[in-house]
Amino acid sequence: MVLDAPGQPLHEADVPQPVPGPQGVLIRVHACGVCRTDLHVVDGELPEPKLPLILGHQIVGTVVASGEEVERFVPGDRVGVPWLGYTCGVCRYCRGGRENLCDRARFTGYQIDGGYAAYTVADHRFCFPIPASYPDLQAAPLLCAGLIGYRCLVMAGDAERLGLYGFGAAAHIITQVARAQGRRIFAFTRAGDVEAQQFARELGAEWAGDALGPPPEELDAAILFAPAGELVPAALRAVARGGTVVCGGIHMSDIPSFPYELLWGERVLRSVANLTRRDGEEFLALAPGVPVRTEVEPFPLGTANEALDRLRSGTVRGAAVLVVDEGPNAGATGAARGPGPS
Ligand SMILES: [Zn+2]
Ligand SMILES: [Zn+2]
């Protein structure tokens, strides 16, 4: 499914099978998660995507061929491909353990063709082995919603009372991790979104309500997964002195001006950008033990536009995943929660 230019729907096309370079692996794609970032690319909110472009940065597939310098994976291995597709390894950020901020980073499904396709090529150094207990569909959302959600959770510090704004793919995963850590979850959704509020409670949120309304008590931190700038002052208002507000998305509408009083009291407002490979290793090691169970809504690859529309309208329960090739580990293809890790 190819994007020719922002603002246009994706269209189905036959394209040449990509060829891996010396560090590349050719992957037969089984499933690819749909992310809010894909919508930002389609909508032209992120500058200068590769065009034409194959979206998708939550890829689960099987290695079918590898470049001459690849020793880590062999054909038949099941791998995951995340958003971070390449870093230079030599800039100040890379050398300082902050490769997510690399000067020359390149991103899957944005500057590198991604997983809305039968085959893709990825640099093996940025791929992850997929925990065996996860079927393909249930593994896909771990690769961005999970990894970047996890980085946001770490940035929220040791907050006990944690607010999550926007209860989609990332929040439904991070709620499970945070509950396992003994935190209390307060879920904020669009006004009147009873289904999302119910979903949040099912996953362990002790309170769920409207995003702009006050929470029942002060929060110690908040993570914003929804890309709405007006949530920033709302979240600052909801956190206690010394609390942190983490903006987890790559794009957000403009933040309205607000009185300094909302930031005063050593409140911290920060963004989280991308992921490091260390985030991925930590999260994928932790997820099976929680265990994180992802709830996915499958869409055939050819209906990617419909999946994007559903994400835009906020009507996906859990995570939308494109089913590309139903291999032996495909997992549940119904809307019900899959078997998850054993
Ligand atoms: Zn770098
Ligand atoms: Zn993403």
Side-chain angles (χ1 to χ4, degrees), residues 150-169:
Y150 173 70
R151 187 173 177 86
C152 292
L153 181 64
V154 172
M155 295 302 178
D158 59 4
E160 185 203 350
R161 299 167 298 180
L162 180 65
L164 300 178
Y165 285 75
F167 207 86

Side-chain angles (χ1 to χ4, degrees), residues 35 37 57 144:
C35 177
T37 297
H57 57 267
C144 183

Side-chain angles (χ1 to χ4, degrees), residues 72-235:
R72 205 164 144 234
F73 297 112
V74 297
D77 285 350
R78 196 166 64 128
V79 295
V81 185
W83 170 246
L84 186 72
Y86 174 81
T87 57
C88 75
V90 297
C91 75
R92 171 179 289 267
Y93 296 111
C94 283
R95 284 183 284 117
R98 296 191 292 165
E99 65 178 357
N100 58 310
L101 304 178
C102 172
D103 288 333
R104 286 176 285 277
R106 297 175 71 217
F107 300 103
T108 311
Y110 180 34
Q111 289 138 341
I112 304 168
D113 279 331
Y116 287 23
Y119 289 88
T120 194
V121 156
D123 186 318
H124 76 101
R125 295 167 293 184
F126 296 86
C127 298
F128 299 109
I130 297 290
S133 53
Y134 284 91
D136 297 333
L137 289 185
Q138 280 71 26
L142 302 177
L143 290 160
C144 183
L147 298 194
I148 292 182
Y150 173 70
R151 187 173 177 86
C152 292
L153 181 64
V154 172
M155 295 302 178
D158 59 4
E160 185 203 350
R161 299 167 298 180
L162 180 65
L164 300 178
Y165 285 75
F167 207 86
H172 101 285
I173 291 172
I174 290 317
T175 293
Q176 298 173 58
V177 177
R179 290 289 300 133
Q181 294 171 338
R183 303 178 197 246
R184 299 167 57 201
I185 299 296
F186 299 78
F188 296 78
T189 72
R190 296 183 208 206
D193 190 347
V194 177
E195 284 181 33
Q197 292 170 8
Q198 175 62 25
F199 184 40
R201 284 191 207 96
E202 285 169 24
L203 289 170
E206 71 176 62
W207 176 90
D210 295 350
L212 295 175
E217 60 184 282
E218 281 186 325
L219 306 175
D220 300 308
I223 303 174
L224 275 55
F225 292 119
E230 68 265 27
L231 295 178
V232 170

Side-chain angles (χ1 to χ4, degrees), residues 2-83:
V2 176
L3 177 72
D4 283 327
Q8 295 182 11
L10 312 184
H11 66 89
E12 198 168 335
D14 283 320
V15 298
Q17 184 168 300
V19 177
Q23 300 279 8
V25 284
L26 175 66
I27 296 165
R28 186 161 59 86
V29 179
H30 299 314
C32 184
V34 178
C35 177
R36 169 73 54 181
T37 297
D38 302 343
L39 272 182
H40 293 314
V41 175
V42 169
D43 291 345
E45 290 165 335
L46 298 184
E48 298 179 14
K50 170 191 177 295
L51 290 174
L53 172 69
I54 298 172
L55 290 166
H57 57 267
Q58 306 187 83
I59 306 168
V60 178
T62 302
V63 173
V64 292
S66 50
E68 62 223 30
E69 291 171 28
V70 177
E71 292 174 357
R72 205 164 144 234
F73 297 112
V74 297
D77 285 350
R78 196 166 64 128
V79 295
V81 185
W83 170 246

